[in-house]
Amino acid sequence: MAQIEFGGRIGRDWRDSEPWWPPVPKPPEGAPNVVLVVLDDVGFAQLGCYGSDMDTPVLDGLADRGVRLSNFHTTALCSPTRACVLTGRNHHRSAMGRVADLAIGFPGYWGKPPRENGYLSEILRAHGYATYAVGKWHLTPEDETNMAASRATWPLGRGFDRWYGFHGGETHQFMPALYHDNHAIRPPRSFEEGYHLSADLADHAIEFLGDLRAVDVDQPFFLYFCTGACHSPHHAPAEWIERYRGHFAGGWDQWREATYARQLELGMIPAGTELSPRPPWVPAWDTLGDRERELAERFMECFAAYLSYTDAQIGRLFDFIDNLGDAENTVVMVVSDNGASSEGGKEGSINDIRLSNFDPAGVSEMYRRIDEIGGPLSHNNYPWGWTMAGNTPFKRWKREVHEGGVADPCIVSLPSGGRVATGGIRYQYTHAVDILPTVLELVGVSAPQEIDGISQSHLDGTSFAYLLGEGGADEPGRHVTQHFEMLGSRAIYHDGWKAVAFHPVGPLYDDGLKVNAPFDDDVWELYHVAEDHSEVHDLATEYPDKVNELVERWWDEARRNDVLPLDNRVLEAIAHPKPDHRRPRHTFRYFPGGAQVPEPVAVNVRNRSHAVTVTIEVPKGVVPNGVLLALGSALGGWSLHLLDGHIRYVHNLYGKTRSVLHADTVVGSGRHTVEFAFEKDEGLGGPAKLLYDGDVLAEGVIDRFTPAGFNGVGVGVTCGYEWGPAVGEGYTAPFPFNGTIVRAVVSTTGPVVRDPVLEVAAILAEQ
């Protein structure tokens, strides 16, 4: 970066010198504030203003005062869309060809957006904006989300002045794994005290803006507000769930038909748009049994409550902006990052991590635990039928590049007196890469040639500010071509036509062997989406030359945008993550009171021989209580602790069952060594024992030790406390240890299970 040239005069002393200060960055005259709200896994049809009957009055009010885009597109997954939104570049060009957690060793998939792709926050801060990120980030590789990692890809490393939120794709909404600026923190309140992340995020956004206005009443701000809603787990306060009791009794087919009718009436979809048929893998509602229907209703009630509750918290934020006097000069954009999620499976899920452990909960278990759904002991996600309905009128869903995965809500509200057409709907084709250039045009700044001395790459996005005015509906669209690729599925849009090829996510397993269908075997479909908005009429056989033309265009775009090589192997990336730069070791020491250590960089004990050894000091007259070392939460993990003086170890198999070893001996005062040892057998578990000063006090067998991930909400190893909700029963997290932990060590003595999914599949096949 070039050194600033001094503009004053320096003499021999102050008498013949003239002081000078570098100019402070100033925004354009009258530059508006910018609030960018990013919803998570909210499908095209799930907001009231897009045809839903779920209550979203705050977002609907923004739509009434602004413009809704009917033809807005994303990438089909969260990290890639967020990279597009913040950089204005296509996702593979920002090394985000898939989510940051699934980085692989190719330029389009490294999971770290390069500096030559500047973030909107970096651009606006250079023009005098205060910049704040609140909520989900998911733009940092999973192995860099710990306290020992570089912060280069964290929000404060990419142009934001302050951040409060969480890394990763999801977190527990009642007990989230939180970060504040550059450090990990615990939630400020407990579930029992009424805590929910959506309210906490609104609280901190309000705090940030209040802190700004207490010092500077004029500086414009950029607030990047990213809710956890409505990604699973679909957690909501019980009273909000109760509001929707019985609301979805008609089922997803009826709800979908009614929503489609409202969309046509609203003009949210062009007249003549057809409702795509229900796919054969989604059961008709009237074919479900009573228990299946009751479960499906409960799942959807929780989703709706989660969405409505979050809408109310967004309302508190906008009320505060109004109270500040800033509402009249604030650009608001609301987008979702992809279509509704199908990750709950055909019947729904009470703990998504069970899917990667090859042990999904069945209807009987879920029905038995129905009252837990939506609360802190579940990681709930609804079944495919509600996914399909949430993307009405489109086909398919998140992770796939048919319209159900990539067509999403986008609401724009401009300051009073701005060019926006109140309550308007626009049908021009737009994409997430268009957000950044649109904001820059509305603010009145140009994309920079360089940021902090780093030359900037070209933008892929096209500003859609032209369509926001009263005459915008009649303007021809300016985003003419857009390619898509997500986990092997591909599509290309060009001038009203779209070619799309579905490819299943892999690897697939057949008798324990990996099978991947060649990409050349994929069938390309063709739709004239300018007239067939919902991709109902495949014209591929009628126009083979058009298919060939578009497929060739896709390959050209793929080569230009770092899309290649094509790779649909999700589980491969989980089982074989990028190389670990750390020196190999078999002993891991942890320290009391430290930040939780995320599972990807913590000791790997998954179905592997290991020992947990803790040296403690117990004061005289004290009955020792509390956690010595633990990993995870009620959704899955393990905990070595003392309960009423007794040594106890709990292995929580992703919330399904708990294996408990309990010692009858009461630990006395003084220095002692407490140990848990596990020896893996040839199957999915093995024998275990508890030792006290070298003596075995309890033995047992853990039939199934977690093979492929303890919990999916970002909670790792903690020393001297638990994160919560508690791994075991009979105590409440954090359950801090009331003595002194002298040394806490985990030693691994067995080999790492290199491909846990294959191992589990093979063992289950033998059984």
Side-chain angles (χ1 to χ4, degrees):
M1 183 167 59
Q3 186 171 343
I4 296 174
E5 184 177 349
F6 180 63
R9 185 177 70 254
I10 299 176
R12 291 176 63 90
D13 63 30
W14 61 270
R15 295 174 181 81
D16 59 352
S17 301
E18 182 179 338
W20 177 88
W21 297 95
V24 175
K26 289 188 177 298
E29 187 69 26
N33 307 306
V34 178
V35 177
L36 176 54
V37 177
V38 181
L39 305 172
D40 202 339
D41 286 8
V42 173
F44 183 84
Q46 290 177 325
L47 301 181
C49 53
Y50 275 74
S52 170
D53 64 353
M54 290 179 273
D55 292 330
T56 54
V58 173
L59 298 178
D60 297 350
L62 288 171
D64 288 342
R65 298 189 297 275
V67 162
R68 282 162 288 171
L69 305 187
S70 172
N71 209 359
F72 177 77
H73 293 82
T74 59
T75 68
L77 273 183
C78 41
S79 299
T81 294
R82 292 158 200 270
C84 291
V85 165
L86 287 176
T87 70
R89 281 86 168 181
N90 289 320
H91 57 298
H92 295 86
R93 285 189 60 218
S94 286
M96 280 290 177
R98 44 175 61 179
V99 293
D101 319 59
L102 299 179
I104 55 176
F106 299 100
Y109 301 89
W110 280 331
K112 299 174 70 168
R115 292 282 168 176
E116 58 264 29
N117 292 3
Y119 281 20
L120 181 58
S121 47
E122 294 169 321
I123 297 171
L124 293 182
R125 184 163 71 176
H127 284 277
Y129 273 70
T131 55
Y132 307 127
V134 176
K136 175 173 173 174
W137 184 239
H138 211 193
L139 290 169
T140 292
E142 194 173 25
D143 63 315
E144 295 184 15
T145 61
N146 60 84
M147 290 297 93
S150 164
R151 309 300 199 272
T153 61
W154 291 32
L156 270 61
R158 294 306 308 252
F160 287 101
D161 298 325
R162 303 180 73 178
W163 175 47
Y164 184 89
F166 63 97
H167 283 297
E170 60 198 285
T171 194
H172 200 289
Q173 295 296 297
F174 296 120
M175 188 58 68
L178 286 172
Y179 297 80
H180 197 164
D181 293 338
N182 280 335
H183 60 278
I185 62 166
R186 287 182 59 77
R189 296 180 303 282
S190 68
F191 165 73
E192 291 76 15
E193 294 169 319
Y195 179 88
H196 191 282
L197 179 60
S198 292
D200 192 18
L201 296 181
D203 289 344
H204 278 81
I206 289 168
E207 175 190 332
F208 289 178
L209 298 183
D211 288 347
L212 171 66
R213 287 293 175 254
V215 175
D216 192 322
V217 296
D218 296 318
Q219 184 180 13
F221 57 80
F222 168 44
L223 173 62
Y224 179 62
F225 187 81
C226 303
T227 69
C230 280
H231 197 293
S232 65
H234 297 157
H235 288 156
E239 62 271 22
W240 285 76
I241 297 174
E242 191 59 34
R243 295 183 186 191
Y244 281 100
R245 186 73 66 194
H247 186 85
F248 300 100
W252 46 64
D253 292 317
Q254 183 184 107
W255 192 91
R256 190 171 185 242
E257 291 279 357
T259 299
Y260 168 65
R262 284 190 294 269
Q263 290 174 329
L264 287 172
E265 183 180 356
L266 289 168
M268 201 59 251
I269 52 178
T273 299
E274 297 179 50
L275 179 63
S276 62
R278 175 173 46 78
W281 55 86
V282 175
W285 182 261
D286 60 14
T287 66
L288 301 182
D290 291 343
R291 285 188 172 189
E292 292 173 305
R293 290 188 187 188
E294 192 174 343
L295 269 172
E297 285 183 54
R298 173 71 177 192
F299 279 121
M300 191 58 192
E301 289 162 3
C302 294
F303 176 90
Y306 187 22
L307 179 62
S308 294
Y309 178 74
T310 300
D311 179 83
Q313 307 317 306
I314 294 172
R316 290 200 301 115
L317 168 61
F318 284 117
D319 284 346
F320 184 74
I321 291 173
D322 187 37
N323 180 263
L324 290 175
D326 279 294
E328 296 302 308
N329 191 36
T330 298
V331 171
V332 179
M333 291 189 179
V334 180
V335 301
S336 179
D337 58 3
N338 47 245
S341 168
S342 66
E343 288 148 358
K346 181 180 177 181
E347 296 166 337
S349 169
I350 56 171
N351 195 340
D352 284 0
I353 198 68
R354 294 179 64 163
L355 303 179
S356 61
N357 280 284
F358 269 54
D359 192 15
V363 170
S364 294
E365 181 187 348
M366 292 193 292
Y367 188 79
R368 187 175 69 250
R369 301 174 59 184
I370 192 170
D371 290 338
E372 295 178 14
I373 296 175
L377 300 182
S378 69
H379 183 296
N380 50 303
N381 204 344
Y382 53 27
W384 284 344
W386 292 121
T387 309
M388 170 194 67
N391 293 324
T392 303
F394 305 121
K395 61 174 66 171
R396 308 202 77 96
W397 38 52
K398 174 186 175 182
R399 297 189 306 183
E400 299 165 10
V401 296
H402 283 78
E403 292 296 281
V406 299
D408 290 291
C410 179
I411 302 167
V412 183
S413 177
L414 297 186
S416 296
R419 296 171 291 171
V420 73
T422 301
I425 296 173
R426 298 290 183 264
Y427 301 116
Q428 294 95 329
Y429 193 95
T430 52
H431 188 273
V433 293
D434 300 335
I435 295 289
L436 181 143
T438 303
V439 170
L440 295 187
E441 181 173 346
L442 295 174
V443 166
V445 302
S446 300
Q449 296 298 308
E450 66 174 45
I451 295 176
D452 292 336
I454 298 173
S455 296
Q456 296 295 288
S457 66
H458 70 273
L459 296 182
D460 293 311
T462 301
S463 171
F464 55 72
Y466 70 93
L467 60 76
L468 299 176
E470 291 291 346
D474 300 322
E475 291 285 339
R478 298 180 186 177
H479 193 127
V480 177
T481 303
Q482 181 62 47
H483 72 281
F484 298 85
E485 189 280 335
M486 188 53 63
L487 300 170
S489 289
R490 293 96 75 204
I492 180 81
Y493 167 84
H494 179 70
D495 199 20
W497 290 85
K498 180 181 177 182
V500 56
F502 167 74
H503 193 94
V505 171
L508 306 176
Y509 291 91
D510 181 11
D511 296 327
L513 300 176
K514 298 179 183 179
V515 177
N516 277 288
F519 290 98
D520 287 343
D521 291 351
D522 293 339
V523 176
W524 284 86
E525 304 160 27
L526 177 68
Y527 301 99
H528 192 196
V529 289
E531 298 177 358
D532 180 14
H533 198 57
S534 51
E535 299 175 331
V536 172
H537 301 287
D538 181 3
L539 305 176
T541 56
E542 189 174 347
Y543 298 103
D545 291 343
K546 174 62 75 172
V547 174
N548 293 335
E549 171 200 328
L550 289 175
V551 171
E552 280 303 309
R553 187 181 291 274
W554 184 90
W555 283 106
D556 289 342
E557 293 293 309
R559 284 185 282 267
R560 287 196 314 106
N561 285 277
D562 291 332
V563 175
L564 305 178
L566 292 173
D567 193 341
N568 68 322
R569 301 171 303 163
V570 172
L571 298 179
E572 183 77 10
I574 296 173
H576 302 284
K578 69 182 183 183
D580 193 336
H581 68 278
R582 300 172 297 171
R583 173 170 53 87
R585 56 179 171 150
H586 299 287
T587 300
F588 294 73
R589 185 179 178 187
Y590 296 101
F591 302 88
Q596 63 104 358
V597 179
E599 189 175 342
V601 294
V603 58
N604 177 7
V605 299
R606 295 187 293 274
N607 199 21
R608 180 185 185 192
S609 298
H610 65 279
V612 182
T613 307
V614 184
T615 303
I616 60 174
E617 290 273 5
V618 179
K620 288 184 179 180
V622 171
V623 176
N625 269 300
V627 173
L628 303 181
L629 207 59
L631 184 153
S633 69
L635 298 179
W638 54 264
S639 175
L640 178 62
H641 54 264
L642 290 156
L643 185 62
D644 297 327
H646 299 275
I647 305 169
R648 192 168 78 150
Y649 174 88
V650 178
H651 174 263
N652 183 323
L653 186 66
Y654 32 77
K656 178 183 180 181
T657 59
R658 290 179 173 89
S659 299
V660 180
L661 272 70
H662 176 90
D664 292 333
T665 301
V666 174
V667 173
S669 61
R671 177 171 289 207
H672 301 283
T673 299
V674 173
E675 182 177 344
F676 163 81
F678 171 77
E679 190 69 30
K680 172 179 165 55
D681 62 18
E682 295 303 311
L684 293 175
K689 56 188 176 183
L690 288 178
L691 297 90
Y692 175 49
D693 291 337
D695 296 326
V696 177
L697 296 187
E699 295 183 272
V701 174
I702 299 176
D703 293 325
R704 182 169 178 144
F705 202 100
T706 305
F710 286 100
N711 69 92
V713 291
V715 177
V717 171
T718 53
C719 184
Y721 68 99
E722 273 187 30
W723 196 262
V727 172
E729 296 176 317
Y731 64 97
T732 301
F735 197 38
F737 181 54
N738 61 357
T740 299
I741 295 175
V742 178
R743 184 178 177 86
V745 172
V746 182
S747 302
T748 55
T749 55
V752 174
V753 180
R754 290 295 177 187
D755 198 331
V757 178
L758 270 180
E759 181 190 77
V760 174
I763 293 172
L764 292 178
E766 291 177 3
Q767 296 174 349

